[in-house]
Amino acid sequence: MILQPKNIAFIAKSLLNCVKDIVHEIAKSYTLSILTRRELEILLKAYETGYILAPRRSRGLKKLSQLLGLSKLSIYVTLRKAINKIIEEVIM
């Protein structure tokens, strides 16, 4: 089989996209590894319930507190720590 230039370009572009996806997943995995299990659990639940994108519309910390069985203060402090860790890792 002889590869045509357009096929080579397509294959190269596909490989590049695969490499980008792999690098993105590795970076994401590394970034999440800096969080404690509790920080990750609370951050994911906050995202799932819509708290991260719209805290007021999601009924905020009260809903998270009920779902996780933790105090609102504990959730707030843990979320702030997790978000700060991620920001420091990405920006610094």
Side-chain angles (χ1 to χ4, degrees), residues 86-92:
I86 291 170
I87 289 170
E88 286 176 6
E89 187 66 28
V90 170
I91 293 177
M92 302 300 181

Side-chain angles (χ1 to χ4, degrees), residues 3-82:
L3 292 176
Q4 301 295 322
K6 67 179 184 177
N7 291 342
I8 293 172
F10 175 77
I11 292 169
K13 188 174 182 179
S14 297
L15 285 173
L16 182 61
N17 286 335
C18 288
V19 170
K20 284 180 184 177
D21 290 344
I22 291 168
V23 169
H24 176 73
E25 287 301 316
I26 291 169
K28 184 170 67 172
S29 175
Y30 173 76
T31 300
L32 293 180
S33 72
I34 65 173
L35 302 178
T36 66
R37 179 183 285 166
R38 183 177 181 175
E39 288 169 342
L40 183 58
E41 176 188 6
I42 292 172
L43 185 63
L44 291 174
K45 188 57 77 175
Y47 179 78
E48 289 171 5
T49 60
Y51 178 77
I52 297 295
L53 297 176
R56 292 180 187 194
R57 274 199 267 155
S58 69
R59 294 192 314 235
L61 291 174
K62 183 177 181 180
K63 184 176 180 180
L64 285 172
S65 176
Q66 293 169 343
L67 288 170
L68 296 168
L70 300 168
S71 72
K72 291 187 284 186
L73 179 60
S74 177
I75 291 171
Y76 178 80
V77 169
T78 305
L79 275 175
R80 291 289 125 223
K81 285 180 182 178

